[in-house]
Amino acid sequence: MAGRSKMRFGENGSRDKHFQIHESNTYSSNFDDKCKPPGFVRGDFDSTAGGSSGGGKKDDRQTILMRQAWATAKSPGKQIMMSGLMMWMSGSTMSIFTLMMMTMVMINPITALFGVQSQFQRFETQENYKQLWLPKLTFIALNLACVGIGVWKLNALGLLPTGEHIPPTVSAPSYTEYSMGIMLD
């Protein structure tokens, strides 16, 4: 007990000197350095690396906008594997679950294709409107890949009139009955 009474505790009960709030020189100039959180790095990150002060923030903003535009453009790519897995898991028979999965796989990318301009409008500025065509094309291509998965599944289910699923022994019916109408006054 006597040994414990000699130990100095910080205000918060910690024995660690780095986490003590008050020390002998309470209001020193380096008080902020002792209380910084773990992982804090002091420095000026707003200035450019070369030290020049010409348009650094505007270039950073354009870089951030293009990075976000590319993230939006690649987001349908995450759905391709999920759509393929769902189409595989839905089976090859017609059921309500298969129809719900088909509806989701077809409607979501088609809706996204109609809203390409609205998706990328928030990233468009006077300086980078010409640079956004490649992210837009990537967005369109990945959504078309999702639609392609849906079309493949529709064909596998026999819901597309491609002629592949019509047996060759079935011929077109011959119509032998005709009807005509005559209008009399």
Side-chain angles (χ1 to χ4, degrees):
M1 290 293 245
R4 282 192 173 181
S5 63
K6 291 181 182 179
M7 288 186 159
R8 295 184 65 201
F9 289 99
E11 184 177 311
N12 58 355
S14 171
R15 293 181 189 161
D16 192 359
K17 68 177 184 174
H18 297 290
F19 293 108
Q20 291 178 355
I21 294 178
H22 297 291
E23 290 186 5
S24 61
N25 53 355
T26 308
Y27 298 104
S28 66
S29 62
N30 60 3
F31 179 73
D32 292 336
D33 291 335
K34 291 182 181 176
C35 292
K36 63 184 177 186
F40 177 78
V41 178
R42 182 179 300 273
D44 183 19
F45 296 105
D46 291 336
S47 65
T48 59
S52 63
S53 60
K57 289 189 179 192
K58 184 178 265 190
D59 292 339
D60 290 341
R61 178 169 164 69
Q62 296 302 322
T63 304
I64 290 170
L65 285 175
M66 286 305 292
R67 190 178 309 133
Q68 289 176 347
W70 274 109
T72 301
K74 292 186 227 175
S75 64
K78 300 171 187 172
Q79 296 175 358
I80 292 175
M81 291 301 287
M82 182 186 68
S83 298
L85 178 69
M86 286 176 24
M87 292 299 99
W88 176 70
M89 299 226 10
S90 65
S92 60
T93 60
M94 288 300 298
S95 67
I96 189 69
F97 298 111
T98 306
L99 291 176
M100 286 189 321
M101 296 300 161
M102 285 302 308
T103 303
M104 189 203 67
V105 166
M106 294 298 286
I107 293 292
N108 290 342
I110 291 173
T111 306
L113 285 172
F114 283 117
V116 172
Q117 190 60 32
S118 64
Q119 284 282 336
F120 288 93
Q121 188 174 13
R122 60 184 173 194
F123 308 120
E124 192 169 319
T125 61
Q126 292 287 350
E127 293 85 20
N128 73 347
Y129 72 95
K130 290 182 181 177
Q131 296 173 349
L132 284 177
W133 67 271
L134 195 56
K136 286 179 184 179
L137 285 177
T138 304
F139 184 79
I140 290 169
L142 291 175
N143 276 310
L144 285 176
C146 285
V147 170
I149 290 173
V151 169
W152 166 77
K153 185 63 174 187
L154 284 173
N155 190 30
L157 290 173
L159 296 176
L160 289 181
T162 58
E164 178 183 320
H165 300 288
I166 300 172
T169 57
V170 177
S171 62
S174 60
Y175 298 104
T176 56
E177 183 178 324
Y178 297 100
S179 81
M180 287 182 9
I182 299 176
M183 196 164 173
L184 298 172
D185 283 323

